[in-house]
Amino acid sequence: DTGVSQDPRHKITKRGQNVTFRCDPISEHNRLYWYRQTLGQGPEFLTYFQNEAQLEKSRLLSDRFSAERPKGSFSTLEIQRTEQGDSAMYLCASSLGVAGGQPDTQYFGPGTRLTVL
Amino acid sequence: LAKTTQPISMDSYEGQEVNITCSHNNIATNDYITWYQQFPSQGPRFIIQGYKTKVTNEVASLFIPADRKSSTLSLPRVSLSDTAVYYCLVGDMSRGQNFVFGPGTRLSVLP
């Protein structure tokens, strides 16, 4: 399977614990995006990378959220000191990263379902 | 970021053609229109993308009028497995601009 993969698919944690999610994009894709989705809502953009560079992070929900893409391939999203309100589906997407004027389609992974008890 | 408006829900029967219309009055010159399908507990799946006129692939057709202020996703002969949430998004894809997802349209296909 050459699509976007995410690990783990499900995570249950206790309030106050730290969690880290991994995303492996489609291999030739330069851009990688993180979203959060709560029940009944559309995905909410969090941050995105162009290769190793994090080009947009103002939408990260708080300073407890951080993301990295150290070698321009896989990415991790960490949530520190989790709260019950962090319970959601965390989605990763990737895109090729094309030059101006052309569409740059995002392809999504299956998501990681986080439950904070 | 162009805001989109689409119906919250729609019902259809198997074998019918379903048309979901999305309004995007403030679409910008460089914006593309993209539709995704999402099943419960899965990530959104890309369906179709277009800039103007008509685009067709093996899954759906996308109709965009000349003023580009709206678009219609057409699903031919739906089946029960087409029951899902459908999202319309507008943005300049080339700049890595983030999408703004609305609540989408929940399509229910009945037998």
Side-chain angles (χ1 to χ4, degrees):
Chain A
D1 190 317
T2 58
V4 178
S5 61
Q6 293 186 245
D7 183 70
R9 293 294 309 278
H10 303 274
K11 177 71 175 179
I12 299 173
T13 190
K14 293 182 179 180
R15 188 177 55 178
Q17 298 294 306
N18 299 342
V19 295
T20 300
F21 309 138
R22 176 180 171 124
C23 171
D24 286 90
I26 294 172
S27 60
E28 65 269 24
H29 283 188
N30 296 320
R31 290 180 180 159
L32 187 148
Y33 311 78
W34 285 100
Y35 292 81
R36 183 182 80 156
Q37 186 173 27
T38 54
L39 199 61
Q41 303 298 315
E44 175 187 12
F45 171 82
L46 296 179
T47 187
Y48 96 95
F49 294 84
Q50 171 84 35
N51 299 313
E52 305 90 352
Q54 191 172 12
L55 297 186
E56 173 61 66
K57 57 182 178 180
S58 65
R59 303 291 186 91
L60 285 168
L61 300 165
S62 78
D63 58 7
R64 297 185 297 106
F65 287 72
S66 63
E68 293 183 342
R69 195 184 183 196
K71 297 183 179 180
S73 55
F74 73 91
S75 175
T76 58
L77 176 69
E78 181 182 16
I79 309 173
Q80 295 182 330
R81 305 180 302 281
T82 53
E83 302 172 357
Q84 288 184 325
D86 296 332
S87 295
M89 174 80 86
Y90 290 85
L91 293 161
C92 175
S94 70
S95 68
L96 192 58
V98 296
Q102 298 299 315
D104 191 31
T105 307
Q106 294 184 27
Y107 296 90
F108 285 80
T112 294
R113 169 77 63 189
L114 173 66
T115 301
V116 182
L117 303 176
Chain B
L1 298 174
K3 181 179 178 180
T4 61
T5 303
Q6 50 183 126
I8 293 297
S9 64
M10 294 181 68
D11 290 337
S12 182
Y13 290 95
E14 280 191 292
Q16 291 188 331
E17 178 184 72
V18 171
N19 296 309
I20 306 175
T21 297
C22 178
S23 297
H24 28 80
N25 291 321
N26 58 340
I27 188 169
T29 301
N30 293 333
D31 287 347
Y32 278 79
I33 300 157
T34 308
W35 285 81
Y36 285 87
Q37 174 193 56
Q38 188 175 30
F39 300 112
S41 299
Q42 295 186 25
R45 170 178 165 250
F46 171 80
I47 300 175
I48 198 165
Q49 185 175 67
Y51 184 81
K52 61 180 179 181
T53 62
K54 178 184 175 182
V55 180
T56 298
N57 61 23
E58 64 278 6
V59 176
S61 295
L62 179 60
F63 298 92
I64 306 168
D67 66 6
R68 303 201 326 122
K69 294 184 182 299
S70 68
S71 59
T72 299
L73 174 72
S74 181
L75 304 173
R77 299 179 299 281
V78 294
S79 64
L80 297 177
S81 63
D82 292 316
T83 294
V85 178
Y86 291 82
Y87 296 100
C88 164
L89 297 107
V90 173
D92 180 355
M93 305 304 114
S94 66
R95 294 191 291 133
Q97 186 180 27
N98 62 82
F99 282 127
V100 177
F101 282 81
T105 297
R106 186 170 301 275
L107 173 66
S108 297
V109 180
L110 308 173

